[in-house]
Amino acid sequence: MKKIVVFASGSGSNAENIIKHFKQTKVAKVVAVFTNNPNAKVIERAKNHQIPVEIFSKNELLERNIVQKIQEINPDLIVLAGFLLKFPENIIELYPNKIINIHPALLPNYGGKGMYGMHIHRAIVNNKEKETGISIHYVNEHYDEGGIIFQKNVALTQEDTPETVAEKIHELEQKYFPEIIQAVLEDSNSKK
């Protein structure tokens, strides 16, 4: 069975959704959750599913400590699910095309440093966009610039607020993120 490590910084609704999805399959399982936020709700969600949690500081992420912990696990895939720190190049180099992220907009639009969560949804509403969506992509050394694996769009209306946009995006994330992670893992199987 393949091993998934999830990195998250916040509530962990996507992380928990991924954990639940893979409990129902024989493809893979989430073996650890890493977070840079000691107050993140993702910690409680992971523990409820008996998933070990690793809490670390930004410095520990950049030093050898976290790299070694990841290497000990030897994951088949690292999934960033609402992880807000820039992912270190040394880890990206060790796991080429094995780190994926979900972004709550249609990249390349609304990507880059500082573009996350409600910041994105506000910008989309302020710019009167007709649609938005999610992008699932490989992680490289630049924010939100890795190869796109999957995008799904959703129509917006003039009545949409940043909050209603967030709800629409959340629905897409919950529906598609686990499916695409599974497809990526199954695709890597067929390449061996």
Side-chain angles (χ1 to χ4, degrees), residues 4-188:
I4 301 168
V5 169
V6 175
F7 276 74
S9 297
S11 87
S13 60
N14 276 322
E16 185 172 41
N17 192 38
I18 294 162
I19 291 165
K20 286 178 176 175
H21 175 86
F22 285 101
K23 277 187 170 178
Q24 311 298 316
T25 78
K26 295 197 172 20
V27 177
K29 66 179 182 179
V30 176
V31 295
V33 170
F34 283 67
T35 184
N36 61 308
N37 178 355
N39 303 312
K41 193 166 186 326
V42 73
I43 297 166
E44 181 187 326
R45 290 183 194 252
K47 287 184 174 168
N48 287 342
H49 293 281
Q50 292 78 49
I51 307 286
V53 178
E54 188 69 45
I55 303 168
F56 58 88
S57 68
K58 189 173 182 179
N59 285 346
E60 286 172 315
L61 179 64
L62 301 173
E63 293 160 8
R64 298 267 332 135
N65 180 335
I66 294 302
V67 177
Q68 285 171 317
K69 290 195 165 152
I70 294 170
Q71 287 176 307
E72 285 164 18
I73 295 169
N74 190 22
D76 296 283
L77 197 64
I78 298 171
V79 176
L80 310 187
F83 184 66
L84 299 182
L85 296 180
K86 190 168 192 286
F87 218 66
E89 287 183 40
N90 60 333
I91 301 176
I92 294 168
E93 285 165 13
L94 286 171
Y95 297 94
N97 292 325
K98 288 192 170 186
I99 307 171
I100 65 173
N101 180 43
I102 190 161
H103 187 76
L106 296 170
L107 292 171
N109 300 332
Y110 302 100
K113 188 170 170 53
M115 289 308 279
Y116 61 89
M118 292 306 286
H119 298 287
I120 294 172
H121 307 321
R122 273 190 216 91
I124 283 168
V125 169
N126 290 342
N127 291 337
K128 299 185 181 2
E129 297 287 357
K130 302 271 188 268
E131 66 175 12
T132 187
I134 57 169
S135 301
I136 299 170
H137 64 94
Y138 289 107
V139 173
N140 68 12
E141 62 278 10
H142 304 290
Y143 273 115
D144 304 324
E145 288 182 21
I148 291 179
I149 301 164
F150 174 85
Q151 288 186 310
K152 183 71 182 170
N153 58 338
V154 61
L156 298 178
T157 67
Q158 291 175 324
E159 285 76 47
D160 272 311
T161 64
E163 290 73 23
T164 61
V165 172
E167 285 169 21
K168 288 180 177 184
I169 292 299
H170 187 69
E171 278 178 34
L172 293 179
E173 290 173 339
Q174 295 282 301
K175 179 169 173 30
Y176 292 104
F177 203 15
E179 288 176 14
I180 299 304
I181 292 166
Q182 184 168 334
V184 167
L185 287 166
E186 288 170 343
D187 187 46
S188 70

